[in-house]
Amino acid sequence: MLWLELRDGFDTDALYTRAIRERICFAPGGLFTAGDGYRNCLRLSCSHDWDARIERSVARLGELPHGPLLAR
């Protein structure tokens, strides 16, 4: 697994909604707490062999936050 912490105020739930529309899946950080923490974090699985499809998906995931601001 790869755990990413993004800037404070970033909403990975909103990013997940955008990403899943493009068939890109990750785990928003809020899933890993009973409280309201880790909302600016996400977890990526690294258990699949790296291929061109995964590379494109990771690159696209990096582009998605540059659309409308995803702050809470």
Side-chain angles (χ1 to χ4, degrees):
M1 301 298 169
L2 179 63
W3 183 259
L4 301 172
E5 183 175 349
L6 306 173
R7 74 184 191 305
D8 287 340
F10 196 93
D11 185 2
T12 56
D13 287 338
L15 178 60
Y16 178 82
T17 299
R18 293 179 66 185
I20 206 70
R21 285 188 212 130
E22 299 197 28
R23 301 179 51 92
I24 299 169
C25 189
F26 64 88
L31 294 174
F32 302 97
T33 181
D36 194 35
Y38 305 127
R39 295 191 51 100
N40 64 319
C41 300
L42 63 92
R43 188 183 79 179
L44 292 175
S45 173
C46 300
S47 60
H48 297 281
D49 290 335
W50 190 264
D51 62 17
R53 182 185 59 83
I54 291 174
E55 186 166 347
R56 283 190 307 272
S57 295
V58 170
R60 180 64 183 141
L61 183 60
E63 295 169 352
L64 288 176
H66 299 287
L69 184 63
L70 294 174
R72 291 187 271 161

